[in-house]
Amino acid sequence: MGEQAALSWNSGAPRWRLLANEVEVPPAREQPTAPTPVPCVARLVWEDDGPEVVETEAIGWTPAAVLVRVYDRRWRLGGVWVPVSDVRRRGTG
């Protein structure tokens, strides 16, 4: 059996990037959460790599912003708040 390296919580920091279209986290009282994730397409604007459109899920929202999951090693968290204008629902069938 091979050895496993112990990684710290911030071991990915050298590859983390900022998202230019990230918005401030709204107050908790304004954040309804989805009972189940809502399939959507989100536009993410990476600081170095530019815009990218990804299929993801909305897990929270306000009238001005949507919390979408981010499955990308460049991002330090599991989700990001982006403007409503950067998100649209995916078709259900």
Side-chain angles (χ1 to χ4, degrees), residues 8 10 20-21 25 49 53:
S8 69
N10 67 345
N21 63 330
V25 176
D49 302 328
V53 176

Side-chain angles (χ1 to χ4, degrees), residues 27-63:
R29 67 185 174 279
E30 297 176 14
Q31 300 178 22
T33 44
T36 59
V38 177
C40 65
V41 175
R43 181 176 168 268
L44 303 178
V45 183
W46 296 99
E47 67 172 341
D48 296 330
D49 302 328
E52 177 180 9
V53 176
V54 296
E55 289 188 359
T56 185
E57 299 166 322
I59 53 177
W61 61 86
T62 70

Side-chain angles (χ1 to χ4, degrees), residues 10-92:
N10 67 345
S11 62
R15 70 178 156 264
W16 289 343
R17 299 292 178 259
L18 295 176
L19 285 166
N21 63 330
E22 176 183 17
V23 297
E24 188 174 316
V25 176
R29 67 185 174 279
E30 297 176 14
Q31 300 178 22
T33 44
T36 59
V38 177
C40 65
V41 175
R43 181 176 168 268
L44 303 178
V45 183
W46 296 99
E47 67 172 341
D48 296 330
D49 302 328
E52 177 180 9
V53 176
V54 296
E55 289 188 359
T56 185
E57 299 166 322
I59 53 177
W61 61 86
T62 70
V66 180
L67 175 59
V68 296
R69 289 190 172 148
V70 177
Y71 303 102
D72 194 300
R73 294 175 58 141
R74 294 173 289 181
W75 189 241
R76 69 193 181 284
L77 303 170
V80 65
W81 286 93
V82 295
V84 168
S85 59
D86 287 343
V87 181
R88 67 174 173 80
R89 281 183 184 247
R90 276 192 274 158
T92 56

